[in-house]
Every structure is written in structure tokens, then in C-alpha cells.
Amino acid sequence: MIGQQRHRVVVIGAGFGGKYATRALRNAPADVTVVNGTNHHVFEPLIYQVATGVLSPGEVATPVRELFRRQRNTQTLLGWATDVDTGNRTVTATVPGGLPYQVPYDTLIVAAGTTQSYFGNDRFAEHTISLKSVDDAVELRSKILTAFEMAELETDPAAAGRWLTFVIVGAGPTGVELAGQIAEIAHRTLPGEYRRIDPSRARIVLIDAVDRILPTFSAGSSAAAAARLRKIGVEIRVGARVTDVDATGVQLAGGERIEAMIRVWSAGVAAPPLAARIAAATGAPTDRSGRIRVEPDLTVPGHPEIFVVGDLASLDGLPGVAQVSIQGGTYAGRTIRRRLAGKPAGRPFHYFDKGNIATVSRFSAVADLRGLRLTGLAGWLLWLGVHWAYLPKGRNRASSLIRWAVTFLGRGRPERAVTARQAGIAAAPPAEGSFPAGRAREAVPAAVPHPR
């Protein structure tokens, strides 16, 4: 057990903010404890590729203990942080199964990230899937691939059409990248493998209430991405607001309804419940998403011992992108080191905007880099290099390159296996004689549940 005499730093969350904050504390005269709800760090910019069968979960998820194995002043604890006692300076966390425990701190770094926002319509969560975790990605992959299987079983063209319609709500980078990859699956990977349906006739609909896709990008990049998406068969509906979602489709303002069995929600973010607990305990103000408004040095007002970094920090309109988390985490870690060394406070946190980049489809991406705009193949090559460079070293980089080659140079999808449990289908074989040899099943059995 790490000694308790030195300064104690607790880091909540092992995403980009928590990871880089902890790394900045390497060799610091402090005992660091990382509390994370899963045993892995997720490389979120590539999680959509798990959902579309390009990468395996292991290529975007690295064990937290492996990340900090050589950092001798750091220990990792599994648990979801649920409360912070600012008076006694303790963090309460809960392990899987519900058992709570407490961790004392002298300095706290909150890098808990955000959750999906449904803009006050939380009932939408019941009938959509978001893309925030490895579990979400694996579930979505199973639903995408199973949808084609279910369409093949249908004898009613309208029912088959519902299975072959994919609605993505939210036209930011995640929505754009996901729509592009589903189109690639339908048009490049699956044609020729089915006998009753034509996968290339799948309908992929990208919806957003804003006036253009990729609204944080330049107008030129947004237009280039939209043109490419339309070319590969994606239907773009901007200026369209979703008013309801149910088990078989989405309702738009104005009365239009889109029948779709697969519905993905990637619009908006909200602070997790922990943010409200911290705000209540410290009196810190929050923004309309529930994120904590922080001081210029990323500390909570009146509580210089508590840093909030990444997506959970609200400061001068910082965007919710990975680079903000990386730079904020590094800044918090270095600030703590300065304090422990008795040095005066450094400069306020300043975000260095390196630009935006999003892949649209095979060999096509858009990038806005401080006045330089790249589209098409040039943007895609830059996207490939940037993401490869930020992946954890070793096996993740090597295996990802191989899988990208299989997917982008060929037509394959290395990760297409769907287990019976993931598909929601009973694993037991049918009773003997129920389906005579040589006869195709003519209808979807009523017992087979539709994916959410």
C-alpha cells in the first residue's frame, strides 16, 4: 500500500484528462490514486470504428493498470465516483455490485467526462443507442450487422425496409463518421452476400437541428463533407428537429416520420450526476449542460485544491474535444507539481487549438488546421497519421494499421462476428424437425426480439 504521509492526489476518471494529469504527476512527491469506473482507458476518437467492425475493442481500450504500471507513485482503483466530501476531503466511489468505499485526498482532479444529453427528452434513451463506451460500441455493432440479417428473413418489403434504415441523430464528428462507415458497410462490404435483400439499398439518414453538418468546422469543410456523404448514399437532413423516438422510428417536427429499426443518438452532452454533487458541495456555478464553471487555472471557485478538467470543465466556451482534455489534464498535473515544489503559481490555462479533423469515408476526411483546410485524400492521410500517433504504443498501433489496410484497401471488416447474446437471440438450436433440411425460414419468428 502506498504510504499515507505524502501529499495525496486523487484523480477521478481515466479518460484523456485523467490519463494526462496522472502522467504529469510521474515522479512527483505525491501518492496518486486513479479511480475509474472501468478497468480501461478508451481512445474515444476511434470508438465508432469498433461500432462498425473495423477495430476490435482491445485496439481502442487499454487497461488502466498497464498505462501506469511503471509509475510507482500511482495506484488504480475500480469504482464509479459518486460523491465528494469537501469538508473531510474524501471521494466516495462504488464498485460493481454497489459496495461503496472512500478515498482521502489533499488535492482532487475531476476528469469524469460527460454523458449523453437528450435535451430534456430522457425517454429517447430507451429507444436509441449512444456511443460513449466500449459496451455501447459492441452493442451498436451487433445491432447494425443483425439488422441486415433480420431484413434477409423478412418477407414483407416494408418490414425489411425498416430494418435497412439507419437513423443517426447528431451531425457532429461522431455522427458524420458513423454515417460514413455504415454506408461503406452497406455499399462495399456486404453486397453479394445476401440473396433476398440488396444491402446497398440501405437508407442511412443523418439528422441535426442545426443548419449544416460539422458545425464546429469551417463552412467549406462542412460542405465538402456533406458532398462526400451524399455521394456514398447518406441522406442528410439538417434543420430537422426530432420530437419523438419509439421502437420503430423517429418523429420530426412538422409531422414527418422515419421508420427505422436502428436509431443512434449522438447529439449533445450533459454533465454526469457527480458534477451536481460537487457543485452543491462547493457552491460552484454550472452551465446549462451542468458542467462546472471553473477559474482560469481550472480550479473550482473557492476550492483551489479541486481541479476540473476536460469535458466537465466550463471555461470561456472551451470545445468538448480530446485536445482540451489532454492539455487541461497536463496543466493540472504540472500545477500540482509546482505547488509541491514551493514554486509560485504559473500562468492561467490556455487552450492551444490545433484544429479539427474528421473522417468521412474511405480515403476522405476534412481538416481545419489554423487557417489550412484539407479535404479528400490529403485530409484522410493527415487523419490517419494523427490518430495513429495518439494511439498507445505497441500492439495497438501495429494491429490497427493491419485492420485499416484490410478495411480501406479491401472490402473486409475484421470484426463482424456477433454472438447470440449480443444479437438478443436465444442460443439454443431449433427443435428437431422444426425446419426441414433445405427449406428456408419464411418469416421472422415472433420470439426474436427487435434490437433497441
Side-chain angles (χ1 to χ4, degrees), residues 346-418:
R347 296 179 179 177
F349 173 69
H350 173 71
Y351 169 56
F352 178 73
D353 187 357
K354 297 182 179 181
N356 294 317
I357 187 168
T359 183
V360 182
S361 66
R362 187 177 76 115
F363 303 149
S364 180
V366 293
D368 290 336
L369 305 173
R370 302 181 67 82
L372 175 66
R373 184 167 68 88
L374 299 175
T375 61
L377 180 60
W380 187 83
L381 290 173
L382 177 65
W383 169 88
L384 186 71
V386 168
H387 286 76
W388 183 83
Y390 273 98
L391 276 171
K393 296 179 181 179
R395 57 179 173 79
N396 299 66
R397 290 183 177 180
S399 59
S400 295
L401 280 179
I402 294 172
R403 291 175 185 271
W404 284 335
V406 169
T407 302
F408 300 132
L409 297 180
R411 296 175 179 268
R413 294 273 155 171
E415 294 289 327
R416 283 178 56 188
V418 177

Side-chain angles (χ1 to χ4, degrees), residues 306-324:
I306 302 177
F307 290 82
V308 180
V309 303
D311 294 346
L312 197 56
S314 177
L315 177 66
D316 296 334
L318 288 177
V321 297
Q323 276 297 324
V324 171

Side-chain angles (χ1 to χ4, degrees), residues 52 57 114 127 137-138 148-149 156 162 168 177 227 258 260 280 289 302 353 359 390 410 423 427 451:
T52 52
T114 54
H127 300 296
V138 172
F148 290 95
E149 301 296 334
D156 178 7
R162 284 195 295 271
I168 301 103
E177 291 169 336
I258 301 176
S289 297
D353 187 357
T359 183
Y390 273 98

Side-chain angles (χ1 to χ4, degrees), residues 143-209:
K143 293 188 184 309
I144 291 171
L145 296 174
T146 301
F148 290 95
E149 301 296 334
M150 299 298 282
E152 177 79 352
L153 290 168
E154 291 284 3
T155 56
D156 178 7
R162 284 195 295 271
W163 283 110
L164 292 176
T165 301
F166 303 83
V167 170
I168 301 103
V169 182
T174 298
V176 165
E177 291 169 336
L178 187 59
Q181 284 303 305
I182 294 176
E184 297 261 342
I185 291 173
H187 291 279
R188 286 184 50 82
T189 304
L190 298 183
E193 296 188 3
Y194 293 83
R195 301 297 174 260
R196 183 176 291 175
I197 64 168
D198 178 3
S200 67
R201 295 179 67 85
R203 183 185 182 194
I204 300 100
V205 187
L206 182 62
I207 301 173
D208 206 310

